[in-house]
Amino acid sequence: MQGPPLSRWADHVRALPRARRDVLVALLVAAVSFTPGLADKGTVLGWLTPLRAFDLLAALLVLAHCAPLVVRGRAPALCLLLVSSAFFAYQYLGYRPTAASIALYLALYGAGAHQERFRRATAVTWVAVYLGVSIALVAAGSPFTVVEYLEFLALPAGCWLMGTATRSRLREQERQQERDLETAMREERERIARELHDVVTHHVTAMVMQADAAQYVPEADRAAVVGGLEAIGGTGRRALADLRDLLGVLAPAHDAPAAPRAPTAGLLGDLVERTRLTGQPVDVVRDGEPRQVDGIVELAAYRVVQEALTNALKHAPGRRTVVRVSHAVPDEVTVEVTTAGGPEPVPRPPESGRGLAGLRRRVSLVGGELTARRDDDGGFVLRARLPTRSGAV
C-alpha cells in the first residue's frame, strides 16, 4: 500500500544522492525567500530601527544565504562559514526579517552531521563570532541584551547537536553494516570450508584405503590389482571434478558453462558403490515412497552419508555399514548410517573440527536435527532428520 503523496515525495527525496538533496534544499530555501507572504518570515537578530528597505544588496545577501547549501554535505565547514557571514551581515545592516535565515540552521545541522575534522574548533569559533556580532549589535542600538543573545544561542546549539546525534546514528549504522558483512563473510568461509572438507576428505580417504588394499593382493592376481588402480584413478578424477565444480561456483569464468548441480541424495548409489570399491561392505535400505525434496536438503542428506562412510573407512575399515533412507514420516526424510561394532568399539569421531561439527551446522541450517551415538554392540550410528522443505534462508 502506498502512503500519501507527501510521504511518497519525501521518500523519493531521501533516496536521492546527498549532493542532489543539497541542491534541492538550496533551491527550496531560495524560492521561499522570495515568495510573497513567506519571504519576511524569519529570524531577526538585531532589530535595528528603522529597518532598511529591501534592496539589491539585501537580495544578494539572501542568495548568499542559500547558495552555499549546495555543498552542505561535501564541505560543511565552508558552507557554515559562507552562510554565517551572509546571515550576520544581513542582520547587522538592519534589513527586514528573511526566510533565508533558515539556511543558518541547516548549515549548523550539516556541520554537526558531516564535519569530519576540527569539529570542536569549528563550534568554538562559530560561538566566538556569534558573541562578537551580538556585542556589536548591542552597541549599534539593538533592543536585546547580551543575556538574551546568550539565551538565543540555545537554538543554533540545538541544531548543531541534532546534527551530531544524526552523525552518531549514521556511524552506528555503518558499524553494524560492517559487522553484518564480516559475519556473512565468516559464514561463507565456513560454508566453503565444509564443502572442501566433504569433497577432499571422502575422496582422499577412499583412495588411501584402495591403495592400502592393493598391497595385500597376491602378485598372481593382476586383474585385482589393475581393478584397484582403476578405482583409485576413478576416485581421484571424481575428487578433481568436484573441486573444479566448487571452484567454478566461487570464481566462474565469463565464458564457462554453468557449474554442474551439487551432488544430492539421488546419487547415493554412486557414493555407496565407490565406497564398496575400497572393500568396505555397505548396504542400502530404503523405506517408504520417495518424495520431492528441496535441493539444499538433498545435499545435506548426501553429506551426512558421505561423512558417515568416510568415518567408517577411517575408523572401522571392513566392518558392515548400513545406509537407511526413510520417507515414512510425512514431510520428513530420515537418513541413518550404522557401522557395525566388533572386538574394538568404533571410535567416536571428534565433535570439533570440520567433521561432525560442520555437519551438525549444515543440518541445522535446513531445519533438521543430527544425532551421533554409539550402538549397543560397539558400533556407531549417525542419524539426521530433515524436512522435505528447507527452513534455511
Side-chain angles (χ1 to χ4, degrees):
M1 179 181 295
Q2 293 183 338
L6 184 59
S7 176
R8 294 200 302 270
W9 183 84
D11 292 339
H12 178 70
V13 171
R14 281 193 293 267
L16 292 175
R18 180 191 298 173
R20 291 188 180 182
R21 290 201 306 269
D22 289 342
V23 171
L24 186 61
V25 169
L27 292 175
L28 182 61
V29 174
V32 172
S33 300
F34 290 97
T35 300
L38 298 176
D40 59 350
K41 303 296 189 294
T43 300
V44 179
L45 195 60
W47 205 264
L48 301 176
T49 56
L51 295 177
R52 292 181 59 172
F54 193 84
D55 54 16
L56 178 60
L57 178 58
L60 293 177
L61 287 174
V62 168
L63 291 176
H65 281 71
C66 307
L69 293 178
V70 300
V71 295
R72 187 169 62 109
R74 291 170 291 172
L78 176 62
C79 173
L80 181 60
L81 171 63
L82 296 176
V83 173
S84 298
S85 299
F87 176 80
F88 290 141
Y90 188 93
Q91 298 296 327
Y92 188 78
L93 291 174
Y95 287 110
R96 64 163 172 78
T98 173
S101 58
I102 193 177
L104 176 66
Y105 309 126
L106 293 173
L108 286 165
Y109 175 87
H114 306 302
Q115 179 74 8
E116 295 291 342
R117 303 174 60 189
F118 308 115
R119 292 176 56 84
R120 182 175 298 178
T122 300
V124 171
T125 301
W126 191 92
V127 171
V129 172
Y130 169 80
L131 292 177
V133 171
S134 300
I135 294 173
L137 288 173
V138 172
S142 172
F144 303 119
T145 65
V146 174
V147 173
E148 288 174 317
Y149 280 114
L150 290 175
E151 293 173 348
F152 176 78
L153 185 60
L155 178 57
C159 294
W160 174 280
L161 293 175
M162 287 177 61
T164 301
T166 299
R167 172 186 173 86
S168 300
R169 178 174 55 82
L170 293 177
R171 287 295 179 87
E172 179 57 32
Q173 289 179 354
E174 291 175 357
R175 287 192 290 268
Q176 184 60 46
Q177 290 175 352
E178 292 176 357
R179 289 193 292 267
D180 292 343
L181 179 60
E182 291 175 358
T183 300
M185 292 175 63
R186 183 173 62 253
E187 292 178 350
E188 184 65 10
R189 287 195 296 267
E190 292 176 354
R191 186 190 68 82
I192 294 171
R194 288 196 301 270
E195 293 291 342
L196 287 173
H197 169 271
D198 292 340
V199 170
V200 174
T201 303
H202 175 77
H203 291 306
V204 172
T205 300
M207 292 169 65
V208 170
M209 297 301 297
Q210 291 163 351
D212 290 344
Q215 300 178 15
Y216 300 99
V217 176
E219 295 184 2
D221 197 351
R222 180 175 175 80
V225 175
V226 171
L229 294 177
E230 290 177 349
I232 293 174
T235 303
R237 285 189 291 273
R238 176 73 182 186
L240 291 174
D242 286 348
L243 287 174
R244 278 196 299 269
D245 293 346
L246 181 57
L247 294 176
V249 172
L250 296 177
H254 293 292
D255 56 349
R261 184 168 60 95
T264 62
L267 298 178
L268 285 180
D270 183 44
L271 175 63
V272 169
E273 189 59 35
R274 292 198 308 272
T275 306
R276 287 172 178 164
L277 291 176
T278 66
Q280 186 79 5
V282 182
D283 296 327
V284 179
V285 179
R286 299 182 184 273
D287 296 334
E289 186 69 21
R291 298 184 181 88
Q292 185 68 27
V293 178
D294 285 352
I296 190 172
V297 177
E298 286 188 319
L299 179 59
Y302 183 94
R303 295 307 189 196
V304 169
V305 177
Q306 188 179 55
E307 178 69 19
L309 294 180
T310 301
N311 289 333
L313 287 173
K314 291 197 302 185
H315 304 298
R319 299 187 187 179
R320 182 172 179 267
T321 302
V322 177
V323 178
R324 183 181 299 275
V325 181
S326 174
H327 296 271
V329 179
D331 300 325
E332 182 179 295
V333 56
T334 301
V335 178
E336 184 178 276
V337 183
T338 304
T339 302
E344 294 292 333
V346 178
R348 181 186 178 91
E351 290 284 344
S352 60
R354 301 292 181 187
L356 287 181
L359 193 61
R360 180 168 281 108
R361 174 161 176 77
R362 180 193 292 276
V363 170
S364 66
L365 284 175
V366 300
E369 180 184 358
L370 181 75
T371 57
R373 60 179 177 84
R374 194 177 302 282
D375 208 353
D376 294 338
D377 62 353
F380 192 75
V381 179
L382 189 63
R383 187 172 187 268
R385 294 174 58 250
L386 302 166
T388 56
R389 294 292 176 262
S390 169
V393 178

